[in-house]
Amino acid sequence: MADDLVVRLHGGPDRDGEIDADGLVALVGALQLLMTRVARHLVEQARPGRSAGVVERAARLRLVGLDAGTTVLRFAVGEDDVLGEGLEHEITDAVFELVRGLWNEAPPVWTTPLLGDACVDLLDALARTSRTTTLGGSRFRDASFRPGDLSRLPWPRADPPRSYGAAQTVRGTLDRVDLRRGIVRVLDDAGRDVVVEGVVPDSDPALFGSDPDPAAVARLLGQEVVVTGPASRGPGGLRLRGATIRRA
């Protein structure tokens, strides 16, 4: 059976019992993003587009009621008659653990940067639509808090989007190949990690043929290589994107 989620909003910019369309879109979008990321986290699927259809349906959020008085939004989580093996309930269990983390300003230890971003987005959407928020459901005790007063700082956040500039060449040892994400890592001559996001078709055709992929690049594991591509420096160090790779 589909699970449920109830959101009560009080003291927002609109009269109790009302919510403006932009605020509703932002709030529902933030809730759905959190549900989807939690579902993917639970099934260890970090990349969008790779989760099974049942996971997406188990995380699907449906607005099924809007009560008068204090603005009350009632949601159904998941779908009836979907063979999700209880995933809907696991998702809401995890979401309410995150909600309690928001309330206490103490994220659960398993919170990833993607989940942290989604939690902060939800907090911002709630602050936009209410002064006081209460989240609950048929299986949970209500959690009430003032979203505008809570700190965003404790939550892990994903790195901001990187900008890539002029090409840079790095020489070092091919240390790791992530076949699923299409990312390789090179340990440069100074002992620093350099992440390479993908390789392009003009990489060493004698070794790779016309269309190299991470599985082909894996043949160079442990060998000295030269990679060249657009470079970006950030908190995680140097990254190259769309780089060529060849034996040193």
Side-chain angles (χ1 to χ4, degrees):
M1 296 293 293
D3 211 342
D4 71 313
L5 171 67
V6 180
V7 181
R8 293 177 174 86
L9 309 171
H10 181 71
D14 301 298
R15 291 181 296 181
D16 285 345
E18 298 180 0
I19 183 171
D20 73 279
D22 288 341
L24 178 62
V25 169
L27 176 53
V28 173
L31 279 169
Q32 183 62 79
L33 177 66
L34 180 58
M35 291 285 180
T36 302
R37 287 188 175 176
V38 165
R40 288 173 176 161
H41 175 79
L42 291 175
V43 295
E44 298 181 347
Q45 294 173 342
R47 289 191 60 185
R50 285 198 171 184
S51 56
V54 68
V55 176
E56 299 294 339
R57 294 172 68 187
R60 181 171 174 250
L61 202 61
R62 293 173 288 138
L63 181 62
V64 295
L66 178 62
D67 295 355
T70 299
T71 304
V72 181
L73 308 177
R74 297 184 180 276
F75 295 93
V77 181
E79 301 178 5
D80 294 335
D81 303 319
V82 174
L83 187 61
E85 297 180 349
L87 182 57
E88 299 88 347
H89 296 275
E90 293 180 35
I91 293 168
T92 47
D93 287 344
V95 165
F96 271 90
E97 190 171 344
L98 290 167
V99 167
R100 288 190 289 271
L102 287 172
W103 182 14
N104 296 316
E105 298 182 320
V109 294
W110 49 266
T111 306
T112 65
L114 281 177
L115 292 176
D117 278 343
C119 286
V120 171
D121 286 349
L122 176 59
L123 209 55
D124 290 342
L126 291 172
R128 175 179 175 177
T129 53
S130 68
R131 187 172 63 249
T132 303
T133 297
T134 301
L135 279 86
S138 59
R139 299 191 301 112
F140 303 95
R141 288 181 56 187
D142 288 349
S144 296
F145 51 89
R146 297 169 68 95
D149 295 344
L150 297 178
S151 174
R152 279 71 169 156
L153 295 179
W155 293 85
R157 307 296 299 277
D159 291 337
R162 286 175 173 256
S163 58
Y164 288 79
Q168 186 168 334
T169 296
V170 173
R171 180 180 179 131
T173 302
L174 185 61
D175 181 60
R176 180 180 179 184
V177 176
D178 188 327
L179 297 177
R180 182 171 63 84
R181 299 169 62 199
I183 291 176
V184 303
R185 186 176 67 191
V186 174
L187 188 65
D188 74 7
D189 291 340
R192 296 167 298 203
D193 286 333
V194 178
V195 174
V196 184
E197 301 172 346
V199 292
V200 296
D202 58 346
S203 294
D204 200 350
L207 176 65
F208 301 119
S210 60
D211 187 19
D213 60 26
V217 176
R219 301 172 195 164
L220 295 176
L221 271 171
Q223 299 185 39
E224 194 169 10
V225 297
V226 176
V227 291
T228 302
S232 172
R233 290 190 179 275
L238 178 65
R239 280 179 178 255
L240 305 180
R241 184 173 64 184
T244 61
I245 183 168
R246 59 181 175 83
R247 287 192 180 97

